[in-house]
Amino acid sequence: MNARIAIIGGGLAGLFAAWRLQERGCDDFVLLEAGARFGGRIETVSAQTGGARFDLGPTWFWPEIQPELDRLVHELGLERFAQHERGDTMIERSPGSPPARVRGYAGAPAAMRLAGGMSALIDALRSRIAPQRLHCDQRVTRIDALADGIDVHAQDAQQRVTTWRVARVLLALPPRLAATTIEFQPALPDALADAWRATPTWMAPHAKYLAVYPRAFWREHGLSGEARSGSGPLAEIHDASTRDGEGDADGEAALFGFIGIPADVRAHIGEAALLAACRAQLVRLFGKEASDVRFETIKDWAATRLTATAADRLATPHHWSAPDNAATSGVWQGHLVGSGSEWSLRYPGYLAGAIDATQTAIDALFTETSP
Ligand SMILES: Cc1cc2nc3c(=O)[nH]c(=O)nc-3n(C[C@H](O)[C@H](O)[C@H](O)COP(=O)(O)OP(=O)(O)OC[C@H]3O[C@@H](n4cnc5c(N)ncnc54)[C@H](O)[C@@H]3O)c2cc1C
């Protein structure tokens, strides 16, 4: 199997790279995605088949400070709408203290969402890329630099291995995952591999709880759906209703929360108990209508093998500086470049970072040689 360029990973960075390469007249590439679906950390779920989609991964972007991503959203013809923040916020200051109602405030810069959930971005990109270039169920396990090219070895779920001979590789996955789960022959320079392994994968330690309701009852009571809690299990809660229903149509009203319990403790508690505890907290905060859940689920990203490594089970409270995206000497120089979000110098870890890092990586590919 031959191609000029191999893109490893079919999340936002990988699909955006594929589309941009195509747009620049380069269609001699292959995209290898390990999972059964495209999107990576972008994932949506519906309460019923064909129903409204809710985000289990990223929800927001900030056009004011991320203009390139906003331009992409416009270019792809996607609809955006503001996060619902009208109404009061609920606060639980500490375990055991009763919930208090305080005046809500609108975040600045304004957080925007996509109609149809963030997967709309993935669907729009996919629909523009030649399908024969996109391969799911192809987990890259080893990359060999040879005298006359690079061999990329990918395994499917039945352990069958396909080897792709390419000239350039774009790593469209988190640096830590690349350095920890892919074997490079010869090894990457030590300092580079160490820097990639030391770079946390943004949001990988976290888990989200989603509850879909028949109506956005909290809005009827003047509440925004936002809450902050020192009691838990949810630390931060937001309105997740779709735009179309404005939270009023059946199956389109929802709340979501970030679970504030560390990954190892979550695994110990188990999903059934955690679901019950999250639901009970929503009743405590928003009243007994919150028990009338149409659909609920938890997505634990720390338990997602194609996102998190063992080192990602501990939360990092802050952003980091992006590591170098390529080797500056040795056999890998000019042949391998990182384009996953964590390599972005401007928005590391964010959706906008996947766009920024990919643009930088593609510019590097075209500068080094005409692909
Ligand atoms: C819970 C959560 C909330 C978030 N909220 C926001 C938000 O509100 N706003 C925001 O801007 N960002 C948010 N983020 C971050 C955002 O999701 C990421 O920045 C973005 O999705 C990264 O895209 P990516 O393509 O770089 O990486 P990923 O989405 O991680 O894609 C990497 C892809 O590589 C694949 N892969 C992994 N290993 C291999 C292998 N060996 N071979 C082949 N393929 C492989 C994976 O399956 C995956 O599809 C959030 C993330 C999470 C988890």
Side-chain angles (χ1 to χ4, degrees):
M1 302 288 224
N2 289 302
R4 185 95 187 117
I5 300 172
I7 302 169
I8 318 293
L12 179 58
L15 291 172
F16 180 65
W19 185 47
R20 277 295 187 248
L21 284 175
Q22 230 180 231
E23 292 230 303
R24 289 177 80 147
C26 166
D27 58 6
D28 191 9
F29 66 85
V30 61
L31 184 152
L32 305 173
E33 162 56 46
R37 62 169 186 90
F38 293 97
R41 276 171 277 175
I42 295 180
E43 186 176 348
T44 47
V45 69
S46 299
Q48 73 253 350
T49 317
R53 297 193 297 186
F54 300 96
D55 289 307
L56 298 177
T59 307
W60 305 296
F61 68 109
W62 296 269
E64 236 175 275
I65 51 169
Q66 300 172 336
E68 300 87 353
L69 176 55
D70 195 40
R71 267 200 298 279
L72 176 68
V73 165
H74 282 284
E75 204 179 338
L76 296 173
L78 302 174
E79 261 184 86
R80 58 176 173 73
F81 65 102
Q83 169 67 28
H84 178 84
E85 292 177 307
R86 270 192 320 278
D88 290 346
T89 296
M90 297 302 295
I91 305 265
E92 287 183 310
R93 292 191 200 286
S94 55
S97 68
R101 181 173 175 145
V102 299
R103 188 182 302 175
Y105 59 89
M112 303 298 282
R113 294 174 50 200
L114 283 189
M118 275 301 162
S119 291
L121 195 51
I122 296 301
D123 296 346
L125 287 170
R126 263 193 81 184
S127 69
R128 286 164 170 80
I129 303 165
Q132 67 274 21
R133 305 266 161 242
L134 304 179
H135 300 264
C136 270
D137 190 19
Q138 290 293 309
R139 187 168 65 85
V140 172
T141 52
R142 210 177 84 208
I143 307 180
D144 300 336
L146 309 170
D148 52 349
I150 297 179
D151 277 355
V152 176
H153 306 276
Q155 236 179 46
D156 68 11
Q158 277 75 47
Q159 318 292 321
R160 286 180 302 230
V161 175
T162 305
T163 300
W164 294 83
R165 169 61 61 91
V166 300
R168 300 275 183 278
V169 172
L170 221 75
L171 293 172
L173 69 166
R176 173 176 278 171
L177 202 61
T180 311
T181 62
I182 299 177
E183 185 188 342
F184 293 89
Q185 280 294 345
L188 294 171
D190 284 347
L192 190 68
D194 287 350
W196 288 6
R197 272 191 293 268
T199 304
T201 300
W202 182 237
M203 298 303 287
H206 294 277
K208 259 189 178 185
Y209 168 77
L210 171 82
V212 178
Y213 290 102
R215 350 180 292 288
F217 57 86
W218 54 94
R219 295 187 186 185
E220 295 162 13
H221 304 307
L223 294 169
S224 62
E226 298 230 351
R228 299 287 180 278
S229 173
S231 312
L234 299 169
E236 193 185 313
I237 298 163
H238 302 271
D239 188 305
S241 308
T242 64
R243 178 192 193 154
D244 295 341
E246 285 290 306
D248 294 328
D250 193 12
E252 295 191 333
L255 293 170
F256 88 82
F258 293 103
I259 300 176
I261 298 174
D264 288 339
V265 183
R266 290 199 298 270
H268 182 70
I269 295 173
E271 187 167 301
L274 210 45
L275 282 167
C278 291
R279 203 180 323 126
Q281 184 182 6
L282 293 187
V283 171
R284 218 161 62 216
L285 289 165
F286 298 108
K288 64 176 184 336
E289 288 157 295
S291 62
D292 183 20
V293 177
R294 197 46 57 96
F295 169 82
E296 63 181 348
T297 190
I298 287 172
K299 173 74 189 184
D300 196 327
W301 288 95
T304 305
R305 184 174 70 100
L306 295 173
T307 298
T309 67
D312 291 306
R313 296 185 76 77
L314 286 177
T316 338
H318 50 76
H319 274 276
W320 58 94
S321 334
D324 287 346
N325 66 356
T328 48
S329 62
V331 291
W332 292 109
Q333 185 184 11
H335 295 288
L336 182 76
V337 57
S339 71
S341 172
E342 279 70 18
W343 273 294
S344 163
L345 294 175
R346 292 195 294 161
Y347 319 107
Y350 290 94
L351 295 164
I355 303 306
D356 180 47
T358 300
Q359 200 58 65
T360 306
I362 288 187
D363 289 347
L365 280 186
F366 277 83
T367 311
E368 274 147 16
T369 177
S370 169

